[in-house]
Amino acid sequence: MSEKKARLSFEGSDKTIELPMYQGTLGPEVVDVRGLTAKGLFTFDPGFVSTASCESAITYIDGAEGTLLHRGYPIDQLAEHSNFLETCYLLLNGELPDKKQNQDFKESIRYHTMVHEQLYNFFNGFPRDAHPMAIMVGVVGALSAFYHDTIDIDDPEHRRLAAHRLIAKLPTIADMTYKHSIGQPFMYPRNDLSYSENFLHMMFSTPCEEPNISPTLAKAMDVIFLLHADHEQNASTSTVRLAGSTGANPYACISSGISALWGPAHGGANEAVLSMLGEIGDETQIEKYIAKAKDKDDPFRLMGFGHRVYKNFDPRSRVMRKICDEVLAELGVEDDPLFRMARKLEKIALEDDYFIERKLYPNVDFYSGIILKAMGIPTSMFTVIFAVGRTPGWISHWNEMLSSPMKIGRPRQLYTGAKQRDYPAK
Ligand code: SDX
């Protein structure tokens, strides 16, 4: 790291503080502010808009350029040439697998797709209409009750096995939440199906027939998982890192990530997009809702638009839109009023000064919900699918953090409460 320095000076004082600066491989320089505490100062950055919370080599995002790299590979190239499991391997290990590594990884994931039979009992306790994310938070966190053999977080082999188990079991648990909600029997994963074929099989097949998975839909599912695989230090990944910094086991950490992802400002946005389109109702109401989105006094936001980092097109949404066209054509629903309205909403927003000035573009969630609905997947499962896709990213960041010396994450605050005062005498 460079020896460049930043100097902090203060009005009314000749005191200056020198702070080291670092330049990463790509992206903005950073000012190392760790020395401020010893000088009796904190930085103040609610929402961590200007804070680099860690050093990482996994994913790079350039919001102005609309760039997203996983271990240096652009997301659109991975979406075109790679697949979800190969991208999982890349995120976890830093390099694309060779032929044997790829085969070994696929077999390891396939070996871990089943869940402990006792896990089935958990579902008896959940109401049929429980939101599937509520079940995911509970069941994934409870996995640590079954795997005492892989929660020595200082053992790289334990971390590897936990990573494989989580990537392998999330789809199985996800589909169990869906089958539970519709009263159908749980489907076991099949070793003769690919990861994404298995996901659709465990969701839509029944014991009464052989699986009948559309290759187009399986490919679309695989790319959707891939596009969600990782995204730098987003809210849920930062939650996983913070939980991991306390030494919590990997299953508890991923469960905390699922909880954070659930929010409509984050991973819950794909479900919120469909709710929004339903609320708008038809094309004649679009202008009214665009006005609501622009009205500061109106809490309505255009779900699926805007991003904390991207002030250009979200590169994932470009790929997602291409898949959207393919899936709608495959299913013969490209003229569906809902999908036509989404297109018109996107066009109007992209031509509106409010959105142009604020660099608000469709994000990954705008199209994903439309595709998933066209595939017959209920909106309540959309964020669950986001969680399945994001698991390799979460676990890669958790592993990266634990692979080098770390401190427990413990931010400070600007205290604006009452000064010390005595309890009133009786
Ligand atoms: C994800 O962080 C990640 O990487 C997340 C994610 C990932 O892969 O992990 O990419 C996944 O969470 C995608 C985002 C999904 N969320 C939504 O689609 C919900 C709708 N979007 C907004 O809630 C909002 O855009 C956020 C939460 C995504 C970003 O919030 P910010 O950082 O506060 O937005 P901003 O500072 O860029 O906003 C600038 C202006 C503000 O108005 P002004 O105060 O300047 O007048 O734009 C406005 C905002 O009010 N604005 C919107 C808007 N998003 C921002 N106005 C209307 N509709 C919107 N969607």
Side-chain angles (χ1 to χ4, degrees):
M1 288 186 178
S2 77
E3 285 310 307
K4 194 173 173 183
K5 298 254 189 269
R7 274 183 195 76
L8 198 51
S9 58
F10 303 86
E11 274 186 16
S13 159
D14 56 4
K15 180 171 84 168
T16 62
I17 298 176
E18 273 198 356
L19 296 168
M21 291 183 71
Y22 311 126
Q23 173 64 62
T25 323
L26 295 168
E29 290 181 292
V30 297
V31 179
D32 183 343
V33 295
R34 285 175 288 188
L36 286 181
T37 310
K39 309 282 187 185
L41 289 168
F42 294 153
T43 59
F44 184 63
D45 184 20
F48 311 119
V49 177
S50 307
T51 294
S53 61
C54 61
E55 186 181 326
S56 179
I58 298 172
T59 288
Y60 174 71
I61 301 173
D62 183 323
E65 296 300 318
T67 303
L68 169 56
L69 309 177
H70 288 323
R71 302 287 190 178
Y73 295 100
I75 188 67
D76 54 322
Q77 291 184 29
L78 289 171
E80 186 172 350
H81 303 299
S82 183
N83 59 62
F84 179 61
L85 280 190
E86 185 182 69
T87 301
C88 290
Y89 183 97
L90 173 67
L91 290 168
L92 282 168
N93 299 290
E95 296 297 336
L96 289 166
D98 62 27
K99 199 171 169 59
K100 181 176 182 322
Q101 290 164 332
N102 194 41
Q103 192 53 36
D104 291 348
F105 183 68
K106 283 200 298 188
E107 278 165 21
S108 174
I109 297 298
R110 181 177 295 138
Y111 178 79
H112 288 294
T113 47
M114 286 208 295
V115 294
H116 194 292
E117 283 291 304
Q118 273 185 252
L119 207 73
Y120 288 68
N121 301 330
F122 284 43
F123 285 78
N124 298 329
F126 290 107
R128 295 284 180 186
D129 61 352
H131 194 292
M133 285 295 277
I135 301 176
M136 290 292 284
V137 168
V139 173
V140 172
L143 285 175
S144 53
F146 294 86
Y147 300 116
H148 302 294
D149 63 339
T150 52
I151 47 179
D152 174 0
I153 58 169
D154 297 319
D155 180 336
E157 181 48 26
H158 280 203
R159 296 204 301 267
R160 186 195 65 81
L161 187 45
H164 289 204
R165 277 182 167 144
L166 281 157
I167 291 169
K169 296 180 194 307
L170 260 283
T172 308
I173 296 169
D175 282 334
M176 288 170 78
T177 69
Y178 175 62
K179 288 300 197 187
H180 176 73
S181 71
I182 58 175
Q184 281 191 0
F186 297 134
M187 296 302 292
Y188 286 99
R190 288 175 58 122
N191 290 344
D192 59 341
L193 297 177
S194 72
Y195 188 92
S196 298
E197 286 170 341
N198 244 329
F199 180 78
L200 295 176
H201 157 63
M202 292 187 285
M203 174 171 267
F204 292 122
S205 298
T206 67
C208 318
E209 59 201 355
E210 283 304 301
N212 176 22
I213 311 293
S214 150
T216 306
L217 299 190
K219 171 66 178 163
M221 200 71 246
D222 198 79
V223 179
I224 287 172
F225 285 141
L226 188 155
L227 292 173
H228 287 88
D230 189 47
H231 212 240
E232 198 218 59
Q233 306 307 324
N234 60 85
S236 53
T237 300
S238 298
T239 301
V240 170
R241 277 183 174 260
L242 197 55
S245 75
T246 71
N249 73 70
Y251 309 98
C253 292
I254 298 303
S255 175
S256 70
I258 294 171
S259 299
L261 186 75
W262 196 357
H266 187 16
N270 50 19
E271 181 177 350
V273 166
L274 267 293
S275 306
M276 172 188 72
L277 293 173
E279 184 186 342
I280 294 172
D282 65 62
E283 295 186 16
T284 63
Q285 299 302 303
I286 289 178
E287 294 292 352
K288 171 187 159 192
Y289 278 86
I290 294 272
K292 282 168 65 70
K294 292 155 60 172
D295 178 357
K296 285 292 157 239
D297 298 325
D298 190 324
F300 178 80
R301 283 282 173 274
L302 211 48
M303 302 316 280
F305 265 75
H307 198 276
R308 169 61 57 78
V309 176
Y310 290 123
K311 300 310 171 191
N312 193 322
F313 248 86
D314 179 334
R316 301 167 296 177
S317 68
R318 288 184 191 279
V319 180
M320 203 66 92
R321 177 163 184 176
K322 182 168 167 289
I323 300 168
C324 196
D325 291 336
E326 288 164 7
V327 168
L328 299 193
E330 157 96 0
L331 299 171
V333 295
E334 56 269 51
D335 290 332
D336 181 288
L338 182 85
F339 307 133
R340 225 186 22 246
M341 179 171 60
R343 286 266 187 286
K344 183 150 185 200
L345 175 66
E346 175 205 13
K347 183 175 183 310
I348 294 172
L350 289 176
E351 292 166 359
D352 185 293
D353 287 344
Y354 172 94
F355 293 90
I356 294 168
E357 284 157 17
R358 291 167 177 79
K359 303 183 187 318
L360 302 175
Y361 296 94
N363 57 48
V364 69
D365 292 303
F366 185 72
Y367 300 109
S368 61
I370 293 167
I371 300 169
L372 297 173
K373 178 168 178 59
M375 292 168 74
I377 295 173
T379 50
S380 60
M381 286 294 291
F382 290 3
T383 311
V384 171
I385 286 168
F386 195 147
V388 172
R390 185 52 52 90
T391 294
W394 286 332
I395 205 72
S396 298
H397 282 274
W398 171 80
N399 191 51
E400 180 180 64
M401 179 180 68
L402 291 170
S403 303
S404 51
M406 62 172 203
K407 296 173 77 70
I408 187 170
R410 207 285 187 210
R412 301 302 304 273
Q413 63 179 11
L414 172 67
Y415 177 69
T416 54
K419 290 185 179 176
Q420 182 166 333
R421 53 185 168 166
D422 293 329
Y423 190 84
K426 292 284 185 205

